[in-house]
């Protein structure tokens, strides 16, 4: 029986070439840096999205401008809750811009945020078609228990 040695050598060469190409691709692919988003950047983007939605949607703007009502504050709280992941706690504060009130966490929230990272962003909602009554909206987000 006569074996065709050239045929077997070509098959062996082709197999080795394929293995070299595949191993090179695996090494190059595994050395690429993975893009991970850090917590601060994620929270910043999340808060900006929430505040942008509040500033641009007419129903949420009306809730901010008429914030004294329980119904309006509940609507803003529900909207924020829908956008914040369940592993985080949040608070949304609305205060008058004209009289210089400072939007800050209440005492129980301050105690809850002790030794935790608190992420804060704010925006101003200035007017609707009615009267001019600017409000400051501040969103606080921190890690849950």
């Amino acid at each position: 029986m006569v074996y065709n040695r050239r045929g077997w050598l070509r098959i062996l060469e082709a197999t080795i070439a394929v293995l070299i190409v595949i191993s090179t691709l695996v090494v190059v692919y595994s050395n690429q840096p993975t893009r991970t988003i850090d917590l601060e950047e994620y929270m910043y983007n999340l808060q900006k999205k929430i505040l942008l939605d509040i500033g641009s949607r007419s129903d949420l703007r009306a809730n901010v401008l008429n914030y004294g009502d329980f119904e309006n504050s509940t609507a803003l709280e529900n909207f924020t809750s829908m956008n914040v992941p369940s592993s985080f706690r949040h608070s949304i504060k609305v205060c008058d811009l004209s009289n210089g009130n400072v939007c800050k966490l209440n005492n129980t929230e301050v105690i809850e945020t002790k030794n935790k990272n608190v992420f804060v962003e704010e925006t101003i909602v200035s007017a609707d078609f009615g009267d001019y009554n600017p409000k400051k909206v501040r969103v606080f987000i921190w890690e849950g228990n």
Side-chain angles (χ1 to χ4, degrees):
M1 207 181 264
V2 178
Y3 291 104
N4 188 355
R5 290 188 182 198
R6 282 192 202 168
W8 285 108
L9 285 177
R10 288 202 177 204
I11 291 174
L12 182 62
E13 288 174 354
T15 305
I16 291 172
V18 168
L19 289 175
I20 290 172
V21 169
I22 289 174
S23 62
T24 303
L25 290 175
V26 167
V27 168
V28 168
Y29 180 74
S30 65
N31 286 337
Q32 289 183 346
T34 55
R35 169 82 168 109
T36 59
I37 187 168
D38 59 340
L39 182 61
E40 291 84 13
E41 186 178 352
Y42 173 74
M43 284 299 152
Y44 175 77
N45 291 334
L46 177 65
Q47 289 174 321
K48 283 297 183 188
K49 178 194 172 299
I50 291 170
L51 292 172
L52 184 65
D53 285 347
I54 289 173
S56 62
R57 286 182 40 186
S58 61
D59 59 331
L60 296 174
R61 287 177 62 83
N63 288 333
V64 168
L65 296 173
N66 302 319
Y67 189 71
D69 301 349
F70 176 74
E71 180 180 317
N72 292 325
S73 60
T74 304
L76 285 172
E77 190 68 33
N78 290 340
F79 173 75
T80 307
S81 295
M82 288 185 333
N83 289 294
V84 175
S86 60
S87 60
F88 292 93
R89 304 260 305 134
H90 70 279
S91 179
I92 186 165
K93 304 293 181 189
V94 177
C95 54
D96 289 328
L97 188 63
S98 57
N99 63 7
N101 283 346
V102 179
C103 295
K104 57 184 180 179
L105 296 173
N106 62 33
N107 292 338
T108 57
E109 292 169 335
V110 168
I111 293 170
E112 187 177 336
T113 60
K114 186 174 180 178
N115 297 327
K116 295 183 180 177
N117 291 333
V118 180
F119 304 95
V120 183
E121 284 296 324
E122 66 184 14
T123 191
I124 295 174
V125 177
S126 60
D128 208 355
F129 288 115
D131 61 326
Y132 179 74
N133 185 18
K135 304 274 186 176
K136 182 189 296 187
V137 180
R138 189 174 280 178
V139 177
F140 299 86
I141 299 177
W142 63 93
E143 295 178 76
N145 292 337

